[in-house]
Amino acid sequence: MKDNQRTRTIRRPRTAWLLAAACSLASTGAQAAGHFDVDDAGTLDPGQCQYEAWWGRTGPEPVNGLHIGPSCRVGPVELGLNLDRFSAAGMHSVVAGPQVKWNFFGAAADAPLSAALSLGAAFDLTRGGRAGGQFVLPLTWRPTSSLQIHANLGADWATGTGARTPRGGLAAEWALDDKVSLIAERSRAAGVWASRIGGRFSLTPLISVDISASRTGPQGVRGFVVGLNHEFAWK
């Protein structure tokens, strides 16, 4: 199993929760965890590709997010490209950029402990290509065959200003069987804490659907996301 945040000031009193809402939808760069905020340490197998697509909505106004992210295993790394569109109160932002992920420890699917490095860049295409980015160290521990614990540590750089904020999180993924997994996570990005709970449902061994609900920031901004993940061979 494989296991983003930008809005400009729309209304000054609303800026904080709009940022929190966007954070609850996604984070800068691709996530092998689908739309979940805490990434796992796994990468695609050699010769495999996948695309992730999700749509989310959060907040009372609301903020809407749409993501499309194809990726492929190329040599020892997984290369991806991300395209995200966020809209709120009649305004929108389109952000795109590449991402690379390298599993440097515990590459086997059943390895008890795995670690990876993930680097991503993001360019705000709506506002002259202002650049930002992300660095994450994902770790995965498998205490049992059905339970995985994921931990993330890293940083984000905001598009335009380049302001750096720490990123981190912890998630538990419990496989009820080979078709249904439950996921719960707690994460922090752009100075905002978020909680998310949801599930992953395998339609086939290579196609799955993700559904989750979230609460973000001290105001408890609510949101939900629905995602589709499809893995396939490219050679």
Side-chain angles (χ1 to χ4, degrees):
M1 294 223 177
K2 306 294 182 190
D3 152 288
N4 276 316
Q5 76 212 39
R6 314 127 191 115
T7 54
R8 76 183 190 191
T9 302
I10 297 173
R11 299 177 186 170
R12 292 184 187 278
R14 298 285 189 176
T15 302
W17 80 256
L18 283 171
L19 286 170
C23 285
S24 76
L25 282 173
S27 60
T28 307
Q31 299 291 334
H35 74 261
F36 288 89
D37 300 309
V38 179
D39 197 1
D40 65 26
T43 58
L44 292 167
D45 293 330
Q48 292 295 107
C49 291
Q50 73 172 0
Y51 65 80
E52 299 174 343
W54 56 254
W55 174 83
R57 181 176 178 134
T58 188
E61 288 205 0
V63 174
N64 293 286
L66 178 65
H67 170 84
I68 298 175
S71 59
C72 288
R73 176 71 176 265
V74 180
V77 301
E78 180 178 315
L79 298 180
L81 179 65
N82 307 289
L83 180 63
D84 296 276
R85 185 184 190 277
F86 296 98
S87 61
M91 303 185 69
H92 74 276
S93 179
V94 177
V95 180
Q99 186 234 9
V100 59
K101 185 178 181 184
W102 173 47
N103 179 295
F104 63 87
F105 181 81
D110 59 350
L113 184 63
S114 301
L117 293 175
S118 178
L119 294 169
F123 301 91
D124 190 339
L125 305 183
T126 314
R127 296 167 183 83
R130 298 185 301 176
Q134 182 187 88
F135 166 79
V136 178
L137 172 67
L139 302 170
T140 295
W141 174 45
R142 299 174 180 82
T144 71
S145 60
S146 62
L147 179 63
Q148 300 182 63
I149 305 298
H150 311 301
N152 284 186
L153 184 64
D156 296 312
W157 286 263
T159 55
T161 66
R164 181 176 65 85
T165 53
R167 162 178 289 274
L170 192 65
E173 183 172 352
W174 179 34
L176 301 181
D177 53 34
D178 59 355
K179 293 185 177 181
V180 179
S181 293
L182 303 180
I183 303 171
E185 62 181 21
R186 179 72 170 166
S187 63
R188 185 175 187 268
V192 179
W193 284 97
S195 300
R196 185 182 298 277
I197 186 168
R200 177 169 293 124
F201 308 91
S202 297
L203 306 181
T204 75
L206 299 178
I207 301 176
S208 63
V209 172
D210 296 339
I211 301 174
S212 75
S214 63
R215 289 175 62 93
T216 305
Q219 297 160 325
V221 178
R222 297 176 182 270
F224 69 91
V225 181
V226 178
L228 173 68
N229 312 295
H230 182 199
E231 185 176 334
F232 56 94
W234 68 277
K235 66 176 182 179

